[in-house]
Amino acid sequence: MNFYIKADRFLLDNKEVNDQYLEVCNGRFGSFVDTVSTGDKVVDWSGYTIAPGLFDTHIHGINGYDVMDGTEDAIKEISKAILRLGVTRFLPTTLTSSKADLDLAIKSVSQAVAQGLPGAQSEGIFLEGPYFTEKHKGAQNPGYFRDPNYTEFQRWQRLSDGAIVKIALAPERAGALEFIQQVSKEGVLASIAHTDADYDCCCAAVDAGARNFVHLFNGMSGLHHREPGVAGAALTDSRAFAELICDGHHVHPAVATLAAQVKGEKLLLITDCMLAGLMPDGNYHLGEFPVVMQDGVARTESGSLAGSTLRLIDGVRNLHQWSKRPLYEIWHRGSLSPAASLGRDMELGSIAIGKLADYVVLDENMTVQATAVEGEIKYQKA
């Protein structure tokens, strides 16, 4: 189906376009034009802004559902819930857990995707763990931590029908550098997380192929002027992407702004959202840990932050306000940068000729009015 979108403003990766018509051809973006013919179909969003669909590459759950539930329904419900938040693509994300629970979660994602997701589309599975170290364990269960095992990973990859596209590990564990080399050759994004590695170890991991640091400043050794640590490696190595949770709790706004200035296009916004997202304050769980959410902040019994309840569009809004940078620039840290981290930026993440027509309709308050996947409106505000 071919049609044109009319809107006051379009957010491109390097500028804004105003008062134009955007062509959509068979689910992909076409060209901008000043006028259309009488017989052309026009979807009129005059008074609104069109932005590319957001891409959450690190999300465990939302609205009472979790990837570790191990059910197709959970994946489908997550897919629907995030659509109304402007997210059109996501990576269902696991937690460190037992082999049986990980097997079940991986199979449930593959089966749900095969059946067809009703909202945002999965671009693959993110295995967060179990190859971590205890000092910066966060809400990961250290009882299951172990050294990287490529044979084990291959079994999970077969179980997923090749859907695992990202895995996080601590690079100081035995065999980690060899493991990073192996999975990187297969196109899997090796990521550094929940680690007490020093700066040199992280640099060696990036040399081996690791190209992402998970939730920057959280679950890692911090930046010190005589020992840059994991955070220092993430900030200074231009080859690697760095994820950021911009809820104002995980990272101070000033530090988030600094990270955005230093990393530029290599910064990507994530939520790390768990099942309490969109839910009221109360008692929940993250994996095997009980979690209490108070004032929208989820913590374990020990007081550690337990993922987040952040909506990705709010992370964009926050960083836009904190950094004072143009909205089109910050928006793409939640759309194009995540796609680029996975090598999917030729298909996703921005409004450009030939890319899949995932887009979000925003009002003047950055409230989502509608969300489309490949040109088809999947959510529209009542």
Side-chain angles (χ1 to χ4, degrees), residues 37-308:
S37 302
T38 304
D40 291 329
K41 180 179 178 181
V42 176
V43 177
D44 192 350
W45 287 106
S46 296
Y48 295 96
T49 294
I50 304 295
L54 295 170
F55 188 169
D56 196 345
T57 59
H58 187 158
I59 177 170
H60 298 281
I62 197 169
N63 203 31
Y65 295 91
D66 192 287
V67 173
M68 296 305 296
D69 291 348
T71 68
E72 293 98 5
D73 282 347
I75 308 306
K76 292 176 182 178
E77 291 297 328
I78 294 168
S79 164
K80 286 194 294 186
I82 59 179
L83 194 70
R84 57 190 162 114
L85 306 177
V87 177
T88 56
R89 305 281 162 169
F90 72 115
L91 296 187
T93 304
T94 64
L95 277 172
T96 297
S97 191
S98 68
K99 287 187 176 181
D101 284 348
L102 283 170
D103 284 357
L104 188 61
I106 289 167
K107 285 193 290 187
S108 72
V109 175
S110 294
Q111 290 167 354
V113 171
Q115 292 167 13
L117 297 183
Q121 298 299 295
S122 169
E123 289 294 314
I125 297 169
F126 172 24
L127 289 184
E128 191 182 7
Y131 309 135
F132 294 143
T133 48
E134 189 164 351
K135 185 172 181 179
H136 296 284
K137 66 181 184 296
Q140 304 278 338
N141 190 337
Y144 299 115
F145 288 173
R146 51 192 181 271
D147 293 331
N149 185 315
Y150 182 63
T151 300
E152 180 177 58
F153 172 78
Q154 285 181 307
R155 190 181 72 82
W156 279 327
Q157 191 66 290
R158 288 193 297 271
L159 196 63
S160 75
D161 294 324
I164 299 170
V165 297
K166 178 178 173 183
I167 185 169
L169 70 159
E172 68 270 34
R173 293 211 69 117
L177 297 185
E178 293 79 7
F179 180 89
I180 289 169
Q181 289 177 331
Q182 288 171 315
V183 299
S184 297
K185 288 177 182 176
E186 298 174 7
V188 176
L189 178 62
S191 304
I192 295 170
H194 295 286
T195 168
D196 194 40
D198 61 20
Y199 176 82
D200 291 336
C201 179
C202 289
C203 291
V206 178
D207 288 340
R211 289 295 183 269
N212 184 53
F213 288 80
V214 175
H215 41 53
L216 180 61
F217 302 113
N218 300 115
M220 61 179 63
S221 55
L223 175 66
H224 186 276
H225 58 283
R226 285 191 293 271
E227 172 46 61
V230 183
L235 288 170
T236 58
D237 198 316
S238 61
R239 296 172 293 176
F241 289 85
E243 304 175 1
L244 200 63
I245 306 171
C246 285
D247 59 359
H249 304 292
H250 283 76
V251 179
H252 190 281
V255 178
T257 299
L258 173 64
Q261 292 171 346
V262 172
K263 293 302 292 182
E265 294 178 356
K266 289 295 182 74
L267 185 81
L268 58 138
L269 302 183
I270 60 160
T271 63
D272 197 10
C273 189
M274 47 89 73
L275 61 82
L278 296 178
M279 300 289 284
D281 283 352
N283 296 312
Y284 298 94
H285 66 273
L286 182 59
E288 298 175 5
F289 292 111
V291 170
V292 177
M293 183 169 72
Q294 184 174 353
D295 299 326
V297 181
R299 296 183 183 274
T300 63
E301 292 177 329
S302 66
S304 296
L305 288 167
S308 86

Side-chain angles (χ1 to χ4, degrees), residues 340-363:
S341 74
L342 296 163
R344 295 285 287 143
D345 50 314
M346 297 303 292
E347 286 276 294
L348 300 168
S350 62
I351 296 172
I353 294 174
K355 288 193 178 186
L356 292 173
D358 293 359
Y359 64 89
V360 184
V361 182
L362 304 170
D363 67 14

